[in-house]
Amino acid sequence: RKEVEQDPGPFNVPEGATVAFNCTYSNSASQSFFWYRQDCRKEPKLLMSVYSSGNEDGRFTAQLNRASQYISLLIRDSKLSDSATYLCVVNRGSARQLTFGSGTQLTVLP
Amino acid sequence: GAGVSQTPSNKVTEKGKYVELRCDPISGHTALYWYRQSLGQGPEFLIYFQGTGAADDSGLPNDRFFAVRPEGSVSTLKIQRTERGDSAVYLCASSLGDENEQFFGPGTRLTVL
């Protein structure tokens, strides 16, 4: 079983739609959680960190459920420019490396 | 300011050859990471440097892979006797400290024929 699991999609949604991505992680020692965005043939870039209390950045809301080892990302009022692959990422704290899911591909259609 | 840079951007080699991939981190970043990304997958950790020393090399797949960072800045990932399965995008990332955000370079796309 992979340490970080995501629905690979693809998710094809119309502009203005709300879309949610889910992710589960297997290592209960994980301490830090992130969503990264990766455009086609580009490097991953940090979208937002995820905190237990939930956090919001504009149209993006991230939530963490430590008991269920589950992370989510909600995108409201999606834009064409949101089309990308969204990577769920955890950090085990004592180990500094990031562990990535396989990514969920999103295409926002006009 | 300048981000993480990697050279070459593309490398095509033949099975059995030796390759070197270079990473220039953001100036002042003490932590440097190498990841490998295969098609349709997320990046997978290879090795992490804090300063000049490899603090964690647990992700290196076998002894054909080696990395150095002799002066605590530029790093080189070296792959001996390349195999077709080594074909992937090799990503380098750096961070100010080991608990700070990691910034990724554009990657080197390695193709082993």
Side-chain angles (χ1 to χ4, degrees):
Chain A
R1 182 188 171 191
K2 286 188 176 182
E3 192 164 340
V4 180
E5 302 241 28
Q6 293 182 251
D7 181 344
F11 283 59
N12 298 317
V13 303
E15 257 187 302
T18 295
V19 60
F21 303 137
N22 303 316
C23 164
T24 57
Y25 60 95
S26 61
N27 192 326
S28 58
S30 299
Q31 296 185 6
S32 304
F33 309 89
F34 311 93
W35 285 99
Y36 272 69
R37 171 194 169 124
Q38 186 170 28
D39 293 293
C40 188
R41 300 179 80 88
K42 298 288 189 181
E43 70 273 22
K45 292 185 179 178
L46 178 65
L47 178 66
M48 58 197 302
S49 300
V50 187
Y51 303 111
S52 296
S53 54
N55 49 299
E56 189 173 306
D57 183 1
R59 297 181 294 108
F60 299 83
T61 301
Q63 294 202 312
L64 166 66
N65 185 321
R66 284 186 184 268
S68 303
Q69 296 181 196
Y70 171 94
I71 305 164
S72 66
L73 177 68
L74 185 76
I75 305 175
R76 291 183 301 279
D77 187 24
S78 41
K79 313 289 185 191
L80 296 176
S81 57
D82 293 335
S83 298
T85 295
Y86 290 82
L87 296 158
C88 178
V89 186
V90 307
N91 178 299
R92 278 181 274 134
S94 59
R96 298 304 177 199
Q97 70 268 28
L98 301 175
T99 302
F100 288 79
S102 297
T104 299
Q105 187 181 342
L106 171 67
T107 301
V108 181
L109 303 168
Chain B
V4 178
S5 62
Q6 293 186 246
T7 54
S9 55
N10 282 283
K11 176 70 178 177
V12 180
T13 191
E14 293 179 342
K15 181 174 178 293
K17 299 289 189 184
Y18 168 82
V19 296
E20 288 190 353
L21 312 179
R22 175 187 168 109
C23 171
D24 275 273
I26 294 171
S27 178
H29 281 196
T30 59
L32 185 145
Y33 307 78
W34 283 98
Y35 294 83
R36 176 168 74 171
Q37 186 171 23
S38 300
L39 194 62
Q41 301 298 313
E44 292 180 306
F45 169 76
L46 296 176
I47 186 169
Y48 152 57
F49 288 89
Q50 181 56 254
T52 60
D56 183 351
D57 64 358
S58 62
L60 294 178
N62 51 60
D63 61 7
R64 295 187 297 106
F65 289 74
F66 188 71
V68 295
R69 193 186 185 200
E71 296 177 358
S73 178
V74 170
S75 176
T76 304
L77 178 65
K78 308 180 181 195
I79 310 174
Q80 298 178 319
R81 304 184 303 281
T82 50
E83 300 178 356
R84 292 196 180 89
D86 298 336
S87 297
V89 176
Y90 289 80
L91 293 162
C92 175
S94 71
S95 63
L96 191 58
D98 58 11
E99 294 188 17
N100 298 99
E101 178 184 349
Q102 294 183 26
F103 294 86
F104 284 80
T108 294
R109 184 173 299 274
L110 175 67
T111 303
V112 181
L113 301 176

